[in-house]
Amino acid sequence: MTPEKITGTFLDFYRERGHRPLPESSLVRPPDDPVLFTTSGMHPLTPYLEGRPHPLGRRLVNVQRCLRTTDLDEVGDDTHLTVFQMLGSWSLGDYGVPQSLRWGHELLREGFGIPHDRLHATVFGGDDQVGPDTGALEVWGQLGVPVELTGQENWWSNGPTGPCGPDSEIFVWTGGTPPTGTPGTDGRWMEVWNHVGMRYHRHDDGRLEPLRRPDVDTGMGLERLEMVLRGHRSVFEGDGFAPWVRGVGGLWQPAEEELRLVCDHLRSSVVVIGDGVRPANTGRGYVLRRLIRRTLTTLWRGDPTRSLADLPDEPFTRTLDQFRQRADIDELRDLLLGEERRFRDLLRRGRQVVSRHLSRGPLRDEDYRHLHDTYGLPRELVDGLVAEAA
């Protein structure tokens, strides 16, 4: 299945069950939102999950582009990405988690053809405030899907306070052997879909208050599902990364982990720029700047003459198309190259400055602060220059 067919199958399944399609939101959050980027499909729906009536009704479905900086250091493994597409469905006080899980199982089995014996579920096993999620346990038992009981791994919250509740995660076996173990004991079980029962509101003192209107929020990563359905070894073999792998790999032949990081960060940078963000020293612009500089740092380890100017147009145009964005390709490329020039200049100045500091001995915290405040050198860049000088 191509990403387009996967998305169409998902949306059609929920439309047939009375869900109204939601328009996709930008990665950039409104000014009154404390979070810089949209991190999940439910993020734009927060007011409605807290009880406000939604103009489209109580059953909703969509595909939403998301960005998570929390997984940045995980990028390079088989499954983690900075920017990804989330397939989501919601019940705003309509049906409960048991119905959601039954539909999820039906779609995975009959819509996507995943064999029954490759499925495993995890369920919240209870803690000192809330008991086990018996509703989810009963459904999985009826469906014959094995279950692993966990603790906080299966408790979802939107921060230290606010809506929260137990969730049930669906895993698919990705190993080349018959399935063994559980998601908690064997990493070849990969999470693809999370079904959250938002039943409580957590207060500042940690107290849980039952919501007057419990909701259901589900989210499934498109790139991970494509990996499962097409038998790929990693998300980087999917259609969304093929142009980047050809472009970056064909030009520079980096090691696999470096290739993955560069492809992820460049693709993510294009999507962020496509939503109107520009490089800066703070906020969203700093996240973009960091992605670009991590890309260049990785590329220049092998050869400092490498330049983003050598990349073909195809990865840029394909990414904008896949994320349903409009942007001027020439302007986008000029922006990246401008950042490349600034970073080269910063590295040239930084080497001289860091060398002078190192001549006086190992760097102290006050040296790092001085280098950042006076020369604009972040700690991670200084550490790289120190390692380079060693």
Side-chain angles (χ1 to χ4, degrees):
M1 276 189 159
T2 64
E4 292 76 18
K5 288 183 179 178
I6 294 171
T7 300
T9 300
F10 180 85
L11 294 175
D12 288 345
F13 180 89
Y14 279 97
R15 282 196 193 100
E16 291 168 1
R17 287 153 184 81
H19 293 67
R20 300 284 298 278
L22 280 173
E24 185 173 11
S25 299
S26 167
L27 282 177
V28 177
R29 303 306 307 140
D32 60 346
D33 194 321
V35 178
L36 294 178
F37 292 104
T38 298
T39 58
S40 65
M42 62 73 57
H43 197 150
L45 287 172
T46 300
Y48 307 103
L49 292 166
E50 292 177 338
R52 183 189 303 176
H54 196 284
L56 291 178
R58 299 169 67 183
R59 297 186 181 191
L60 305 171
V61 64
N62 90 334
V63 181
Q64 173 64 49
R65 53 185 176 272
C66 304
L67 185 152
R68 292 182 183 171
T69 56
T70 52
D71 293 335
L72 210 55
D73 291 333
E74 306 292 333
V75 171
D77 67 8
D78 291 339
T79 62
H80 285 92
L81 298 171
T82 306
V83 168
F84 58 95
Q85 300 191 70
M86 182 76 82
L87 307 172
S89 65
W90 295 272
S91 163
L92 303 180
D94 191 348
Y95 55 85
V97 168
Q99 179 63 75
S100 183
L101 294 177
R102 290 189 188 94
W103 279 340
H105 180 264
E106 180 184 351
L107 178 56
L108 291 176
R109 288 283 294 111
E110 299 179 18
F112 293 124
I114 297 176
H116 178 82
D117 62 359
R118 290 180 62 194
L119 296 176
H120 205 301
T122 59
V123 170
F124 181 67
D127 59 17
D128 57 355
Q129 288 184 289
V130 179
D133 189 352
T134 55
L137 279 170
E138 289 175 4
V139 168
W140 290 129
Q142 293 164 4
L143 295 173
V145 174
V147 171
E148 180 179 29
L149 290 175
T150 73
Q152 290 303 306
E153 299 95 323
N154 279 101
W155 183 269
W156 184 94
S157 60
N158 194 28
T161 62
C164 58
D167 63 59
S168 183
E169 298 173 350
I170 305 175
F171 289 76
V172 176
W173 179 254
T174 62
T177 64
T180 61
T182 68
T185 62
D186 195 317
R188 289 173 292 181
W189 286 105
M190 183 180 71
E191 180 199 345
V192 294
W193 205 351
N194 190 14
H195 293 241
V196 180
M198 295 191 195
R199 303 176 190 169
Y200 303 95
H201 179 95
R202 188 182 296 278
H203 293 272
D204 290 331
D205 60 2
R207 178 172 50 89
L208 292 176
E209 178 184 358
L211 293 173
R212 288 182 297 172
R213 192 200 70 184
D215 302 316
V216 178
D217 158 44
T218 86
M220 177 161 54
L222 173 61
E223 291 84 354
R224 287 191 180 188
L225 183 58
E226 181 191 8
M227 170 186 164
V228 167
L229 297 181
R230 302 179 76 172
H232 291 163
R233 187 171 55 92
S234 80
V235 291
F236 294 93
E237 296 179 34
D239 283 2
F241 282 96
W244 290 107
V245 171
R246 285 195 299 269
V248 174
L251 280 172
W252 301 308
Q253 295 85 46
E256 183 172 39
E257 187 170 340
E258 293 181 339
L259 174 65
R260 290 177 173 185
L261 184 145
V262 168
C263 290
D264 170 88
H265 284 16
L266 284 174
R267 176 177 176 261
S268 299
S269 297
V270 169
V271 179
V272 172
I273 293 169
D275 271 354
V277 178
R278 297 297 179 262
N281 289 327
T282 59
R284 299 182 187 93
Y286 180 70
V287 174
L288 173 58
R289 177 161 282 167
R290 188 179 178 206
L291 289 171
I292 297 170
R293 289 182 175 180
R294 281 169 61 98
T295 297
L296 293 169
T297 299
T298 302
L299 287 174
W300 290 344
R301 286 196 200 110
D303 182 351
T305 66
R306 291 171 175 171
S307 172
L308 302 180
D310 297 329
L311 284 167
D313 281 346
E314 184 195 13
F316 298 95
T317 56
R318 288 281 299 278
T319 295
L320 292 172
D321 288 344
Q322 288 158 359
F323 283 86
R324 302 161 292 283
Q325 294 175 304
R326 294 182 179 179
D328 183 272
I329 298 297
D330 292 334
E331 179 183 347
L332 192 155
R333 292 177 70 98
D334 287 345
L335 189 152
L336 291 174
L337 293 177
E339 277 299 293
E340 181 180 310
R341 288 191 294 271
R342 278 186 285 274
F343 192 44
R344 284 191 189 277
D345 291 340
L346 182 63
L347 286 177
R348 185 172 59 252
R349 297 194 308 272
R351 287 188 181 95
Q352 299 169 356
V353 174
V354 170
S355 179
R356 288 200 298 270
H357 277 71
L358 287 174
S359 67
R360 299 193 288 268
L363 297 183
R364 300 163 297 174
D365 285 341
E366 53 263 40
D367 294 318
Y368 281 103
R369 285 195 294 271
H370 176 72
L371 290 168
H372 179 270
D373 296 343
T374 305
Y375 300 99
L377 298 171
R379 190 180 187 108
E380 61 182 8
L381 176 57
V382 173
D383 287 339
L385 294 174
V386 170
E388 183 182 293

